[in-house]
Amino acid sequence: LAAWCFSQVKGAIDEDVAEADIISTVEFNYSGELLATGDKGGRVVIFQHEQESKNRPHLRGEYNVYSTFQSHEPEFDYLKSLEIEEKINKIRWLPQQNAAHFLLSTNDKTIKLWKISERDKRAEGYNLKDEDGRLRDPFRITSLRVPVLMPMDLMVEASPRRIFANAHTYHINSISVNSDHETYLSADDLRINLWHLEITDRSFNIVDIKPANMEELTEVITAAECHPHQCNVFVYSSSKGTIRLCDMRAAALCDRHSKFFEEPEDPSSRSFFSEIISSISDVKFSHSGRYMMTRDYLSVKVWDLNMENRPVETYQVHEYLRSKLCSLYENDCIFDKFECCWNGSDSAIMTGSYNNFFRMFDRNTRRDITLEASRESSKPRATLKPRKVSTGGKRKKDEISVDSLDFNKKILHTAWHPKENVIAVAATNNLYIFQDKIN
Amino acid sequence: MFTKGTKRKFSDPGEEPASSGDPGPAAPSAAARTLSSSYSLQRQSLLDMSLIKLQLCHMLVEPNLCRSVLIANTVRQIQEEMTQDGTWHIMTQALAAAQCPADRLVATEVLCRQTDAAAQAGQSPKPFSVVGLQEGYHSEEVVMEGDVETEVTMSSLSPLSPQLSSASYLTGPFEVGPCWEEEDEEEDHSESSEPSLMSEHSRHPALEELFSDVDPSYYDLDTVLTGTPKMGPYDLLESLSSHGPTALSSSSSCRSDLNELDHIMEIIVGS
């Protein structure tokens, strides 16, 4: 793994964090030029990568704010007397097809397609109105002219182009754009729907695991994703640690999976918490489409799509928490949903942990590293020091003991640039951007 | 705070729990099936904690279904193990004896609707179903194109807080299910004027008739909801010993009287 150094941090420094500012999703677009974040307040902030400065070509450019908009507003469901949170659960970019950028953002109930476009010219010299916009008196117009386009300061506009609403009774946990670039899926706790990007008043229900009798409910859908190349294939994970791969060609309702991935339980480590920690919080296909990665509470597993009975690789994220499960159950941390991500070449994976730690695993060398997103290590281009949690006995210098970990500082959302070694790590209300050391 | 609750395995009587630093119980011989008190205590504590978690809900936002399902499954596991150990029956009997039937508050019927007869016979209860209901009861709003499910707003049907079956439920994670209909009216609860306390109060006998022909599928998780007052965890378990889904359970054990209101107030006030 390369040495990583600090690049930038976005967000307020205050100790007092407003709940609305807590980042709830992070996503690079397909080229890595744009980086989007969503927060609990329903806002989306998009950063754009500036070109490297000509003076200092050895440095990568920085990400600066490109557009900010309010994607979702809090709503009130009058029938149920419940609030619908405006928190952005997921953002997914569409592949770029023209000058404008498109992304899907979703809260618990409603998905929106946003168009982000630039305007750097405006027309001047209208006949019927003057520069202020006021209408000219027609009698004063003595000649006609053709308006000309004049440059103006760049303006980035975000406009909602589609609103996909009223299709989810339960909370949406995932959205995923299909490789056909025309459809996408959205998943809630019990159902998965397939949409066409152009059609907002209809969606196809492709998975429904709601039991006829809700009393029999013992398993929910936790994440879903479309295959990166095969537009008929998608996977969804469950709270029981299983992944089902479905083929949409097989049937309209994909309640019967094509493949079923589950690792047999290790009987020697069984406890009352076994099921909870096996619940999968995130599933991501590799860029190649050959593998998929799942995140459960203590580990990350890489699966070969051709082998259903066990993962091909398992990485322990924070095994030292296994003996603390009861406390983590009590304070609800055991239900935290960590995400995971691949690097562009699928050679490394990354996921978050507590105390603002995040972990990277190199699949080839099997080496791993723990880094921390903190203000202390935020000097420009400062190399991040690897961190270590001492698991017992003597605590070495620079190590931190398990009991000293701050469980309120959790890194749930991370993203890896699709082409370069640049990563974005969301630590509560701050977005950290790190890059590898360029020699 | 103790560490992980380790499930004792009957198949490895001599094996200690695997995790290091875990003050888990020693595993006595399977044949003897004696539980170390520390393991029992840990398990009981975990059960209590789980029941409390199921009861507490955010006031205005829908509870996280995944979390509720996982907690309910945990309670189920504990219950199954305790039933196999024979401790379940002992505990529910103790609870029944400890409290006057009329004081029963019963919150969420988290555990299986085990009838008294079944309990006494030592049968394993069927896996419990988590049901819940509470005041602020909401109907399922399914506005899916082409898929119409009737919306029934309980609160609009009656000013009283509807109660599920014999157990009044605190926020239940899931549905107010069939036991709503099937269970006998085992308990008459007095009505509370405070909306936030409604779920603790008894269901008016007339309500059951009112809802008896309503399709239970209307009341599912989406309809369940929001605030619930805190209750002692054991109250949840009381339903086990006295409430059953069928006529098998005697309904005489919990007739309500006004004392119940006092008792409810005591619990709320925490005296």
Side-chain angles (χ1 to χ4, degrees):
Chain A
L1 289 166
W4 290 86
C5 55
F6 171 81
S7 175
Q8 298 170 268
V9 59
K10 308 285 189 190
I13 310 179
D14 295 342
E15 281 302 313
D16 226 0
V17 178
E19 176 111 358
D21 294 336
I22 296 175
I23 298 170
S24 50
T25 184
V26 184
E27 187 83 354
F28 280 99
N29 75 338
Y30 282 75
S31 64
E33 182 208 353
L34 298 177
L35 174 61
T37 61
D39 64 23
K40 276 194 164 187
R43 288 165 304 205
V44 171
V45 180
I46 300 176
F47 301 92
Q48 183 187 42
H49 188 238
E50 303 286 343
Q51 290 304 315
E52 288 82 5
S53 112
K54 293 185 181 59
N55 298 334
R56 307 164 92 179
H58 57 287
L59 290 178
R60 286 202 185 86
E62 290 196 332
Y63 281 87
N64 296 317
V65 177
Y66 179 66
S67 174
T68 303
F69 57 92
Q70 186 75 33
S71 172
H72 287 70
E73 298 274 3
E75 287 172 49
F76 195 77
D77 180 340
Y78 291 96
L79 282 173
K80 297 190 195 180
S81 292
L82 291 174
E83 276 185 5
I84 298 172
E85 286 190 318
E86 66 275 29
K87 172 168 75 90
I88 308 296
N89 293 336
K90 284 287 178 344
I91 288 173
R92 288 290 182 263
W93 291 92
L94 265 57
Q96 189 174 10
Q97 288 169 334
N98 54 35
H101 298 276
F102 289 86
L103 60 79
L104 288 170
S105 69
T106 187
N107 69 348
D108 284 338
K109 297 287 185 179
T110 303
I111 306 133
K112 296 187 183 181
L113 175 68
W114 287 89
K115 176 180 180 183
I116 296 104
S117 48
E118 295 184 2
R119 187 195 292 268
D120 62 355
K121 298 183 190 41
R122 66 156 188 262
E124 282 179 23
Y126 284 103
N127 292 291
L128 295 177
K129 56 181 179 179
D130 61 25
E131 296 312 315
D132 297 342
R134 284 177 304 182
L135 292 173
R136 289 170 76 192
D137 185 353
F139 294 107
R140 292 184 180 278
I141 300 173
T142 54
S143 62
L144 286 178
R145 55 186 176 173
V146 177
V148 289
L149 291 175
M150 301 294 291
M152 57 178 262
D153 289 340
L154 179 66
M155 205 167 73
V156 181
E157 300 171 321
S159 60
R161 306 303 285 180
R162 305 271 186 277
I163 297 183
F164 305 91
N166 299 325
H168 286 280
T169 307
Y170 302 96
H171 291 177
I172 296 173
N173 52 56
S174 311
I175 48 175
S176 180
V177 182
N178 210 345
S179 54
D180 61 12
H181 302 165
E182 288 185 347
T183 58
Y184 74 95
L185 64 74
S186 59
D188 67 29
D189 295 312
L190 298 179
R191 298 188 177 105
I192 302 180
N193 294 329
L194 182 72
W195 301 84
H196 191 284
L197 286 164
E198 299 289 329
I199 300 170
T200 59
D201 61 353
R202 257 172 299 149
S203 69
F204 289 102
N205 175 240
I206 54 178
V207 173
D208 187 338
I209 65 168
K210 181 180 173 184
N213 182 350
M214 279 293 277
E215 284 188 356
E216 291 162 7
L217 180 66
T218 58
E219 189 173 12
V220 300
I221 296 170
T222 52
E225 196 178 48
C226 292
H227 191 279
H229 309 307
Q230 297 168 33
C231 59
N232 53 299
V233 172
F234 66 95
V235 291
Y236 67 94
S237 59
S238 84
S239 56
K240 286 194 172 175
T242 66
I243 309 102
R244 289 170 176 79
L245 183 144
C246 299
D247 186 334
M248 289 189 270
R249 296 172 303 189
L253 188 62
C254 300
D255 276 357
R256 284 161 66 183
H257 52 264
S258 298
K259 296 195 185 193
F260 181 79
F261 299 83
E262 186 179 28
E263 182 168 28
E265 190 181 18
D266 173 13
S268 68
S269 64
R270 175 129 183 81
S271 76
F272 286 119
F273 304 110
S274 294
E275 183 182 311
I276 299 178
I277 63 171
S278 76
S279 175
I280 291 172
S281 51
D282 195 16
V283 64
K284 292 266 173 45
F285 278 105
S286 64
H287 292 91
S288 65
R290 253 200 77 187
Y291 299 96
M292 66 178 175
M293 162 168 59
T294 57
R295 175 68 155 98
D296 51 69
Y297 191 62
L298 298 179
S299 68
V300 181
K301 296 177 181 171
V302 175
W303 303 78
D304 184 322
L305 293 188
N306 297 316
M307 186 158 74
E308 299 169 54
N309 59 351
R310 60 178 173 81
V312 290
E313 295 154 34
T314 301
Y315 301 94
Q316 301 301 336
V317 180
H318 37 217
E319 181 68 12
Y320 46 79
L321 295 183
R322 191 180 288 273
S323 57
K324 308 284 180 190
L325 292 179
C326 199
S327 308
L328 294 164
Y329 180 72
E330 191 186 22
N331 64 16
D332 266 11
C333 281
I334 207 174
F335 302 107
D336 286 337
K337 292 188 186 297
F338 291 93
E339 292 172 10
C340 52
C341 59
W342 299 84
N343 71 343
S345 59
D346 297 337
S347 64
I349 57 184
M350 170 169 63
T351 189
S353 179
Y354 294 103
N355 209 72
N356 279 354
F357 287 174
F358 57 99
R359 304 261 286 137
M360 284 190 216
F361 304 91
D362 186 318
R363 296 178 64 214
N364 299 323
T365 64
R366 293 310 181 110
R367 284 184 17 229
D368 61 84
I369 190 170
T370 304
L371 299 173
E372 182 180 0
S374 73
R375 291 278 172 175
E376 285 73 36
S377 51
S378 301
K379 299 186 200 48
R381 299 184 302 285
T383 303
L384 296 179
K385 197 172 64 174
R387 304 301 310 245
K388 190 136 166 48
V389 177
S390 72
T391 48
K394 276 180 84 89
R395 182 176 73 85
K396 299 198 186 79
K397 189 170 95 85
D398 284 350
E399 284 186 357
I400 181 167
S401 74
V402 182
D403 298 311
S404 309
L405 295 173
D406 187 342
F407 289 91
N408 291 320
K409 292 188 177 169
K410 47 193 92 176
I411 293 188
L412 304 173
H413 314 287
T414 60
W416 206 311
H417 191 291
K419 297 181 168 63
E420 296 175 15
N421 275 342
V422 175
I423 57 177
V425 174
T428 316
N429 63 324
N430 290 139
L431 181 72
Y432 287 82
I433 299 172
F434 302 107
Q435 57 189 49
D436 68 352
K437 226 171 168 52
I438 310 171
N439 296 319
Chain B
M1 173 55 59
F2 51 84
T3 54
K4 84 175 180 178
T6 307
K7 183 169 183 170
R8 187 173 65 85
K9 292 162 285 299
F10 297 141
S11 57
D12 326 307
E15 200 167 29
E16 291 291 319
S19 74
S20 60
D22 176 8
S29 78
R33 289 198 182 191
T34 51
L35 288 174
S36 73
S37 61
S38 114
Y39 176 76
S40 284
L41 214 58
Q42 287 180 19
R43 183 175 63 183
Q44 188 66 51
S45 176
L46 185 61
L47 178 64
D48 296 345
M49 197 195 308
S50 303
L51 293 173
I52 292 174
K53 280 183 182 300
L54 284 173
Q55 298 177 41
L56 297 177
C57 249
H58 298 288
M59 286 302 298
L60 284 175
V61 181
E62 267 177 293
N64 182 329
L65 183 59
C66 181
R67 175 179 173 274
S68 302
V69 169
L70 290 173
I71 297 172
N73 289 350
T74 305
V75 173
R76 215 181 259 131
Q77 279 179 60
I78 297 173
Q79 185 210 357
E80 279 171 12
E81 187 179 283
M82 288 178 76
T83 302
Q84 284 171 12
D85 292 340
T87 49
W88 185 258
H89 174 64
I90 295 167
M91 178 186 65
T92 54
Q93 289 283 328
L95 286 175
Q99 277 195 330
C100 164
D103 293 333
R104 219 163 288 272
L105 291 178
V106 200
T108 307
E109 182 189 282
V110 171
L111 304 167
C112 130
R113 291 175 271 130
Q114 179 185 359
T115 64
D116 275 340
Q120 278 146 18
Q123 298 161 14
S124 357
K126 64 182 193 207
F128 77 94
S129 52
V130 183
V131 294
L133 163 75
Q134 66 265 349
E135 32 115 18
Y137 194 67
H138 306 285
S139 58
E140 174 175 31
E141 173 203 49
V142 178
V143 189
M144 291 176 67
E145 291 81 11
D147 176 10
V148 177
E149 290 185 46
T150 312
E151 294 174 4
V152 177
T153 305
M154 295 280 281
S155 51
S156 68
L157 291 171
S158 162
L160 297 174
S161 87
Q163 289 300 335
L164 233 205
S165 67
S166 50
S168 55
Y169 299 94
L170 288 184
T171 310
F174 311 149
E175 94 186 67
V176 172
C179 57
W180 165 245
E181 285 186 2
E182 297 166 43
E183 287 184 68
D184 283 351
E185 159 103 62
E186 307 209 8
E187 203 172 329
D188 290 347
H189 308 259
S190 50
E191 180 187 1
S192 163
S193 57
E194 281 221 22
S196 63
L197 302 178
M198 273 160 63
S199 64
E200 292 182 1
H201 301 336
S202 58
R203 182 181 51 165
H204 193 280
L207 277 182
E208 193 178 26
E209 282 148 13
L210 192 59
F211 299 124
S212 62
D213 57 355
V214 179
D215 185 337
S217 69
Y218 290 158
Y219 313 126
D220 57 5
L221 180 54
D222 341 74
T223 60
V224 165
L225 165 43
T226 58
T228 105
K230 295 181 189 192
M231 299 269 300
Y234 288 107
D235 299 322
L236 295 173
L237 303 178
E238 288 169 11
S239 58
L240 278 186
S241 54
S242 65
H243 304 147
T246 67
L248 277 179
S249 51
S250 87
S251 56
S252 60
S253 56
C254 342
R255 289 292 159 206
S256 70
D257 53 33
L258 289 174
N259 290 335
E260 174 152 341
L261 183 54
D262 290 339
H263 183 66
I264 290 167
M265 290 309 301
E266 270 173 44
I267 291 197
I268 289 163
V269 168
S271 57

